[in-house]
Amino acid sequence: MDNAAATRKPWKKNLYENAEYEDNYTDPSFLKDMQTNVNLTIYTPKQAFTGATRLSQQISVVTAFLVVFHHLYTERIGAKAIFVQSAVGTILGYFIYAGREIQLTKFIEDSKTAFAVLVFGFIFSPLLHTLTNSISTDTIFSMTFFVLVLHLIFFDYGISAPFVSKAISLNAAIFGSICLASRLSSSLHAFVLLELAAVFFALGPFLVTKLYSVQLLALSIAVCCYFLHSISHIILYTYICTLAFVNLFCPWLFVRLQKYKNNINGPWDEAIVTEESAS
C-alpha cells in the first residue's frame, strides 16, 4: 500500500488526472491559494453613523406622513388646507430639484402628468375610501405598520444590496396609505392622503437625495418631535428611542463587530471571467 502511494503521480488540481486518489483526498497544496478578507473595507465610526442617518431620515419621512394622517383623522386641519399646502410644497420642491436645468417644455409635460394623476386619483378616491370597510380599524392599523416597516426595509438608501427594491418599497407605502385612507371621514380626505403619499414616497426621495445633509435630518427630527409632543408622549419617546438605536447603537455595534469579519477566498470559488477590452 505504501509502495503504491509512493509510485502514484503527484496530485494536480485537475479532476481527470487524479484517478489514483480517493474522492475525498485533499492535498496540502490545495489551501496554498487561500486568501482571507480580500478587498475588505473597514468603516470608521463616522462613516457608520453617516450611513445610519439615511435610515433615520426615511423614518422621519414616514413619521411625518403619519402625523399628517393623524391630523386628518382627528380633523384638526381641513383636507383642503393640507391639499393646498402640499401642492405649493410640491411645486417649490420641483423648482428646487430642477434648479437651473429647468425647461419649459419639460415643465409643461410634467404638469400634464401631475394633473392626470390628480384627476384619476380624485375619481377613484370614493372607491378607495370604501375599499376596506369590512376590515376592522385595529387590523388596518396593524397591517399599515407592517407594510411601512416593509417600505423601510426595501427602500433604496444609496447602497448596492440584494434586498433593495424601489418597486416593493413604493408599493408597500402606497398600500399602507390606501389602508389608512379608508379610515378617514370622507372621500376628499382619502384623496388628499393619497396625494400626500405620492409626494412623500414617490417624489420626495428624489429631492431628499439631492439635498440630503445632517442639517436636513436634524430639521426633520425637530419637526417630528414638535408634532409628536402634541399627539402622544409615548409615541414621542418611542420615536426618539428608535432614532437613538439606529444612529448610536447600531453604528457602534457594526464598527465593533468588523474585527470578527472573516471572508475566505480560495480555489473552490467560482471562476470569474475577465473580459479584456480590444486594443
Side-chain angles (χ1 to χ4, degrees), residues 6-255:
T7 57
R8 60 186 178 181
K9 298 179 181 179
W11 181 87
K12 293 183 179 181
K13 198 165 55 178
N14 290 325
L15 182 62
Y16 58 86
E17 294 187 15
N18 299 319
E20 300 178 1
Y21 292 86
E22 297 81 3
D23 292 339
N24 60 349
Y25 175 79
T26 302
D27 193 79
S29 62
F30 183 74
L31 298 177
K32 68 177 182 179
D33 296 327
M34 184 181 71
Q35 295 177 318
T36 304
N37 294 336
V38 179
N39 300 324
L40 177 64
T41 302
I42 301 297
Y43 294 93
T44 63
K46 181 180 179 180
Q47 291 175 322
F49 172 79
T50 303
T53 57
R54 295 280 183 173
L55 175 57
S56 299
Q57 179 66 63
Q58 194 59 25
I59 292 175
S60 298
V61 170
V62 173
T63 303
F65 175 77
L66 294 177
V67 167
V68 176
F69 164 75
H70 178 268
H71 282 75
L72 284 173
Y73 184 70
T74 57
E75 297 189 0
R76 291 186 178 181
I77 302 179
K80 294 181 180 179
I82 293 182
F83 176 77
V84 172
Q85 293 173 9
S86 64
V88 173
T90 302
I91 295 173
L92 291 177
Y94 178 86
F95 284 108
I96 293 174
Y97 180 80
R100 297 181 179 179
E101 299 177 359
I102 189 171
Q103 300 176 356
L104 180 60
T105 55
K106 190 175 187 312
F107 175 72
I108 294 175
E109 291 298 324
D110 293 338
S111 299
K112 292 179 180 178
T113 303
F115 180 75
V117 171
L118 289 175
V119 170
F120 279 101
F122 185 77
I123 293 174
F124 287 104
S125 58
L127 173 63
L128 298 175
H129 179 243
T130 59
L131 189 62
T132 59
N133 277 351
S134 59
I135 304 176
S136 66
T137 301
D138 291 340
T139 303
I140 288 294
F141 288 164
S142 300
M143 191 162 49
T144 302
F145 171 78
F146 286 111
V147 295
L148 289 180
V149 170
L150 195 68
H151 161 75
L152 293 173
I153 293 175
F154 288 95
F155 187 78
D156 184 10
Y157 298 100
I159 60 175
S160 178
F163 58 84
V164 172
S165 176
K166 294 181 180 179
I168 295 178
S169 178
L170 178 59
N171 288 334
I174 297 300
F175 176 74
S177 304
I178 294 175
C179 292
L180 294 177
S182 65
R183 303 297 100 174
L184 298 177
S185 59
S186 67
S187 59
L188 177 62
H189 287 71
F191 165 70
V192 171
L193 185 68
L194 294 177
E195 182 264 340
L196 280 173
V199 172
F200 274 75
F201 303 119
L203 302 178
F206 294 99
L207 184 63
V208 170
T209 301
K210 184 173 183 178
L211 302 179
Y212 179 77
S213 64
V214 178
Q215 291 79 5
L216 177 62
L217 174 62
L219 177 62
S220 303
I221 295 175
V223 171
C224 290
C225 289
Y226 173 78
F227 285 102
L228 289 177
H229 182 269
S230 62
I231 296 175
S232 171
H233 288 177
I234 296 178
I235 298 178
L236 173 62
Y237 298 148
T238 303
Y239 172 71
I240 294 175
C241 291
T242 301
L243 293 184
F245 175 79
V246 170
N247 283 308
L248 300 178
F249 179 77
C250 288
W252 170 82
L253 184 63
F254 177 78
V255 173

